[in-house]
Amino acid sequence: MGGAAADDRALIERFRAARRDPALAVLEGFHALKHALRFGAEVACALARDPEAVAALGSRLAPDVAPRLRELVRAIPAEGFARLAPRPPATGVIALAHRPPVDLGAVLRTTTAAPLVLLERPTHHGNLGAVVRVAAAAGAQAVLTTGPHDPWDPAALRGSAGLHFALPVGPIEALPATGRPLLAFDPAGEPLAPGAIPPGAILAFGSERQGLGEALLAHATRRLAIPMADGVSSLNLASAVAIALYTWRLGCLRDPR
Ligand SMILES: C[S@@+](CC[C@H](N)C(=O)[O-])C[C@H]1O[C@@H](n2cnc3c(N)ncnc32)[C@H](O)[C@@H]1O
């Protein structure tokens, strides 16, 4: 009895420490764990109040990863589970995975047809996660960020539903010279139109409050504005990224290059 309680305390401490560990990703909830497994995450520990319920959810919603879920997820009593995260996920499962090693310099040097998303100093982890989610859906090359906010923060992983594992995501100090077209998304730019995003482009977006900095704007190949109705100052960051990426993607589908 005492042994089980001590084990649970050790697990609670392990999950608490993981939230600050730059080598680990905290996956809160079924969908985050499902996507992480689907895109090859190496899961270190997965706990649930009721592993059978998680396995049933897996069989119903994600048969491709259901056997892995069954293998990985271990039980922890409800009181222990409630202490594994500040807001324990409603789906009753939480996991730790190793962040995949990525050479972000190599990503920047590798021009693919798909655009790369650069977020300059984003401040809201929920926005960051929503950007990663739409970037994965649209087939973007990568999501890179500058500034002090960790793009792998547990709140960002919640926002992406674990899709950080679907494409390279990581922080860079600053954008180096790459020779790739650099498109700055700025409400004061020229109107975005179908076909405006060339292959291999870097799409840059500014922070929620300040927008893009002068240094990046000065290096931009073009500044593009998403048209808005009179009186609207700007779009939410993740909405702006979604519109830009789908302008590119729908253009490709119509006009495959
Ligand atoms: C909330 S907005 C920042 C608003 C900031 N006050 C400004 O004027 O840029 C966050 C980012 O989303 C992008 N964005 C938002 N609305 C946009 C629009 N209509 N056209 C182009 N980019 C937009 C820009 O990259 C912007 O830096």
Side-chain angles (χ1 to χ4, degrees):
M1 198 57 191
D7 287 353
D8 292 351
R9 275 201 302 278
L11 286 169
I12 292 163
E13 190 39 51
R14 185 175 177 195
F15 272 73
R16 196 166 286 162
R19 302 183 85 79
R20 300 181 301 275
D21 187 335
L24 291 175
V26 181
L27 301 166
E28 297 176 342
F30 174 81
H31 295 286
L33 178 56
K34 168 196 78 180
H35 279 136
L37 287 174
R38 184 171 288 157
F39 290 100
E42 198 190 314
V43 172
C45 176
L47 298 171
R49 288 182 298 237
D50 179 355
E52 264 313 306
V54 175
L57 214 50
S59 304
R60 191 156 57 84
L61 300 179
D64 57 324
V65 296
R68 284 289 287 142
L69 283 169
R70 218 170 246 291
E71 239 170 66
L72 280 168
V73 178
R74 288 165 40 206
I76 183 168
E79 316 82 70
F81 185 82
R83 296 176 61 201
L84 294 175
R87 279 192 295 145
T91 46
V93 62
I94 183 164
L96 301 181
H98 298 283
R99 298 187 193 186
V102 195
D103 178 348
L104 297 175
V107 170
L108 275 162
R109 288 189 300 274
T110 308
T111 305
T112 59
L116 180 150
V117 174
L118 173 70
L119 305 181
E120 196 177 48
R121 304 184 74 79
T123 60
H124 190 277
H125 286 125
N127 271 339
L128 235 155
V131 166
V132 171
R133 188 171 185 164
V134 75
Q141 183 195 6
V143 176
L144 305 187
T145 64
T146 64
H149 284 74
D150 177 12
W152 284 79
D153 184 273
L157 276 152
R158 244 190 345 258
S160 78
L163 283 162
H164 280 62
F165 290 88
L167 74 175
V169 175
I172 54 171
E173 277 295 314
L175 183 64
T178 63
R180 298 170 67 164
L182 174 59
L183 306 185
F185 280 81
D186 176 11
E190 52 181 309
L192 172 68
I197 299 177
I202 295 177
L203 314 183
F205 300 83
S207 76
E208 290 85 343
R209 192 151 313 159
Q210 257 102 38
L212 281 167
E214 283 308 321
L216 193 140
L217 287 171
H219 284 102
T221 318
R222 289 175 82 182
R223 296 185 193 191
L224 294 172
I226 300 163
M228 297 181 291
D230 287 348
V232 179
S233 314
S234 70
L235 291 154
N236 160 274
L237 171 59
S239 304
V241 175
I243 293 166
L245 285 176
Y246 273 89
T247 299
W248 163 75
R249 185 175 169 100
L250 296 176
C252 283
L253 294 180
R254 214 188 34 188
D255 168 27
R257 281 183 265 228

